[in-house]
Amino acid sequence: MTDLTATRTLVTGGKGFIGSRVCELLHEAGAQATAVGRAEADLTDAAATEGLFEKTSPQLVIHLAGEGGGIVAHRQNPGRHLYANATMSLNVVEACRKFEVERLVTVASADAYAPDAPMPLEESDLLAGTPVPEVAGYATASRLLVSLLDGYHRQYGLSAALLVLTNVYGPGMSDDPERSFVVPAMVRRFRTALEAGDRSVVCWGSGQATRDFLFLDDAARAIVEAARCINDPSPINIGSGRETSIEELAHSLAALTGYTGAVEWDTSRPEGARRRVLNVTRAQELLGFQAKVGLEEGLKATLAEV
């Protein structure tokens, strides 16, 4: 069990959506956490990454930096998302080895699961099959991270934790149409329609696809807990364990934003994997983790700031 208050902690991506909340929790716990973003170091550059480690001398690294976004961003940047995320992982993991970091905590995406994997998704199926084409580059980088950590753990004894995150949402998410995830994208659509007096809102896909939505605070709490106690890089699913259809999400957001018009579906648009919900048994057993924030409560908190 790591005493976070006595550990020099480096959080890459510490100024981003998830990373900033992780840093807040670390500081609340009395930890010495240094948050870095792109302005401080380009983690796709090996020399810059090593320079960061030399400067900060971390004992614990929480690696959350990455490039991504919603389905639009993934379709537009398949090569960049694979290159940038894979290169950052390679550079950070190697720097952890070289500078003898005591523990590394990092995250992969549930996009790495194949669309035909059995539900609920279990960690043993993470590398089976082929991810959906729309997210293939991003998903492949997550799969590489699984093998990378396993190899470094077995060859060099690197202590690491790998959390597989489902769809995380919450206050502070970008609603940029080119990058946003499903929750802020829908919020933007409903609020725009409400202001314009539109009689209908068109959402992508059929509405029948399902996802496992996890509130930001729950995701950050799981990451901090993993930093305390996990030394084995075997993947751990982090999600709510609840399967919610995109149609259900749309109607919930419409009601919460006060939009009373019709919701229509454009089935010519991509919707990714048909179903997704995580088996979170390992998280419960190893971390004592269970999502505390329900979807409606989390959406209300998100709407207050998005």
Side-chain angles (χ1 to χ4, degrees):
M1 183 73 73
T2 298
D3 180 1
L4 298 179
T5 65
T7 302
R8 292 187 306 277
T9 302
L10 172 67
V11 184
T12 71
K15 299 181 180 180
F17 170 56
I18 296 177
S20 59
R21 185 62 183 129
V22 168
C23 287
E24 288 175 355
L25 293 183
L26 289 169
H27 290 145
E28 289 171 9
Q32 308 168 53
T34 300
V36 296
R38 293 176 186 172
E40 288 77 27
D42 177 4
L43 299 179
T44 65
D45 183 310
T49 304
E50 291 191 4
L52 173 65
F53 276 63
E54 186 172 11
K55 179 181 178 180
T56 57
S57 299
Q59 297 166 295
L60 165 67
V61 173
I62 301 178
H63 176 47
L64 303 174
E67 292 190 20
I71 198 165
V72 173
H74 289 315
R75 294 184 81 196
Q76 292 176 344
N77 303 281
R80 175 63 191 180
H81 284 176
L82 172 54
Y83 168 79
N85 290 300
T87 304
M88 281 189 268
S89 293
L90 289 166
N91 289 340
V92 168
V93 172
E94 172 62 8
C96 285
R97 180 199 67 81
K98 186 172 183 178
F99 288 87
E100 299 181 341
V101 168
E102 295 174 9
R103 181 175 295 165
L104 166 66
V105 179
T106 189
V107 297
S109 169
D111 284 334
Y113 282 106
D116 57 353
M119 298 292 155
L121 296 166
E122 296 190 11
E123 292 89 346
S124 58
D125 291 323
L126 186 60
L127 300 183
T130 303
V132 294
E134 292 90 346
V135 299
Y138 187 68
T140 299
S142 282
R143 289 183 167 203
L144 179 146
L145 183 56
V146 176
S147 298
L148 181 66
L149 292 177
D150 176 66
Y152 270 66
H153 180 68
R154 289 188 290 112
Q155 183 172 355
Y156 304 115
L158 178 66
S159 293
L162 177 60
L163 306 185
V164 182
L165 298 183
T166 186
N167 292 57
V168 180
Y169 71 97
M173 296 190 78
S174 169
D175 66 351
D176 180 345
E178 297 297 315
R179 297 183 62 251
S180 63
F181 294 89
V182 61
V183 171
M186 280 191 175
V187 170
R188 183 187 181 96
R189 285 195 182 99
F190 287 124
R191 283 182 168 165
T192 299
L194 185 63
E195 292 172 1
D198 294 340
R199 295 183 178 181
S200 65
V201 167
V202 178
C203 296
W204 284 24
S206 66
Q208 301 309 301
T210 64
R211 294 294 181 267
D212 182 337
F213 293 101
L214 183 69
F215 189 61
L216 172 62
D217 286 8
D218 284 326
R221 183 167 52 83
I223 291 168
V224 172
E225 189 56 35
R228 287 194 174 97
C229 65
I230 300 298
N231 297 303
D232 181 341
S234 299
I236 304 172
N237 283 339
I238 303 296
S240 70
R242 177 190 172 190
E243 189 172 12
T244 301
S245 73
I246 300 302
E247 182 176 32
E248 181 183 346
L249 174 69
H251 287 297
S252 294
L253 284 172
L256 290 171
T257 55
Y259 180 75
T260 58
V263 177
E264 300 177 356
W265 299 93
D266 183 353
T267 56
S268 69
R269 298 288 192 169
E271 60 184 1
R274 187 68 171 175
R275 293 183 63 197
R276 183 180 296 150
V277 61
L278 303 188
N279 183 324
V280 293
T281 301
R282 277 175 54 79
Q284 293 169 351
E285 293 175 347
L286 299 178
L287 299 173
F289 174 80
Q290 187 170 5
K292 293 181 178 180
V293 181
L295 184 60
E296 184 173 358
E297 179 186 353
L299 291 176
K300 287 180 180 177
T302 301
L303 286 165
E305 294 193 33
V306 171

